[in-house]
Every structure is written in structure tokens, then in C-alpha cells.
Amino acid sequence: MRILVVYCHPSRTSFTYEVLRSFTRGLSDAGHEIEISDLYGMDFRTDLTEEEYLRETHYRSDLPVPADVKAEQDKIERADSIAFVYPVFWTEAPAKLVGWFDRVWTAGYAYADCTMKPLDKALFIACTGKTLQSLEETGNKLAMETVMLGDRINQRAKSKQMVFLDGISHYDEALLQRMKPQHLEAAYRLGLEF
Ligand SMILES: Cc1cc2nc3c(=O)[nH]c(=O)nc-3n(C[C@H](O)[C@H](O)[C@H](O)COP(=O)(O)O)c2cc1C
């Protein structure tokens, strides 16, 4: 299969970058073809222009989309499945990934006469500082699943999954060191079994 990986983290010294590497190693070992959109690396623009905003709010799917948005849509069309790898910032994806959805999910493509190719699978790998137990107790896990799987993917993929790699915070260095190897192994397996 051909997999589009949308990666969003500002630093290559991060745990999230190590997760990307483990995950893509698993995908390669399984024989998948990979294309990566590194949103910070590409300096992907995430603010809507007024023109883009008006196009969306008036459902003007007859109007063209910007070239950088079209390039992302073309990557989706070339892919069978999509995966997102990112850290959780304030119970959301980083603003750069949220902005990717704002701009790439356009009218006439992802909604309002949707022409987007139906994807086989959508996978979200979200790295979190908090523990899974804490994210469950506060309802934050459900909130993130509702937004990503329920709203942003919805019917756009035949199967969808969100995985949280938790407890990765320098606030608790001992926990981080304990969790890291098992999370990197899990990321590799997610790639291998994609
Ligand atoms: C601006 C900012 C906001 C964050 N907000 C959250 C949060 O709401 N919940 C959480 O579990 N972790 C939060 N974190 C921790 C990140 O998720 C953490 O960076 C992540 O586990 C991955 O580590 P990495 O940055 O080394 O890749 C936040 C980090 C930053 C920089």
C-alpha cells in the first residue's frame, strides 16, 4: 500500500520524531511505500487567507484552491491510507496540523460535494505528556477522539484508529525513560501491522 504520513513537530530532537522513524521503519519493513508531509519542515502555511475563508463559507467549490493545498490533496489521491504523527498541544494537535485540516479539507474536495478518494485507513499517533489514565479521567482522550476520528475523518476512511503514546514529559523523567522503549516498539509494530 501507499501511505501518506503527515508529520507535525517543530524539533527533530523530539520523542515524536523518534516515533516517526520507528513507525516508518515498520511501514518499510512491511513493504509499504511512504510519502511524508513534514509540516514544519515544509513551513506549511496554516492561516486561511480571506479569499480561502470566503471560498469555504460560501461553498464555492468552483473556485481554485492554492497550489500548496492542491499539492497536499494530490498526495492524498496518490495514497491508499493516511497516518498522522504529532504531539498533543493543549488537548489538540499543534496549530500547524489543525491549520492543515482548515486549508486542505476544502469544499468540493473533503465536504460539500466531496470528491476525495475514500481512504482504506486513517491512523493518528498522538504523543502525550499526560498519562492515558489522566486523559481518560478528564475526558480529554474522548474529546480528541471525537474531533479527529468523528469530525475530521468521519466517513473519509473505511477504518480509523487513534493511538496515544503517553507519559512523555520531562516533568517526570523516570516515567518518560520507562515508557519510551515500549512506545517506540509499539510505533514500529503499528507500521509493520498497518
Ligand atoms: C505547547 C505545549 C502544550 C502541551 N499540551 C499538552 C496537553 O494538553 N496534554 C498532554 O498530554 N501533553 C501536552 N504537552 C506535552 C507534549 O504532548 C509532549 O511534547 C509530547 O508528549 C511529545 O514529546 P516530544 O515533544 O519530545 O515529542 C504539551 C507540550 C507543549 C509544548
Side-chain angles (χ1 to χ4, degrees), residues 9 14-16 87-91 127-130 135 168:
H9 196 292
S14 64
F15 168 72
T16 306
V88 165
F89 286 175
W90 292 109
T91 319
C127 305
T128 73
K130 293 180 183 164
L135 295 170
I168 301 296

Side-chain angles (χ1 to χ4, degrees), residues 15-16 18-20 23 85-88 124-132 135 162-169 179-180 182-188 190:
F15 168 72
T16 306
E18 290 186 69
V19 169
L20 173 76
F23 176 61
V85 180
Y86 61 92
V88 165
F124 292 84
I125 304 180
C127 305
T128 73
K130 293 180 183 164
T131 63
L132 202 53
L135 295 170
M162 189 160 186
V163 174
F164 295 90
L165 302 181
D166 69 327
I168 301 296
S169 166
M179 300 304 273
K180 211 171 144 173
Q182 67 195 59
H183 284 336
L184 294 179
E185 174 62 23
Y188 174 73
L190 282 167

Side-chain angles (χ1 to χ4, degrees), residues 82-101:
I82 194 164
F84 299 87
V85 180
Y86 61 92
V88 165
F89 286 175
W90 292 109
T91 319
E92 243 295 6
K96 217 170 193 38
L97 179 53
V98 175
W100 183 90
F101 281 103

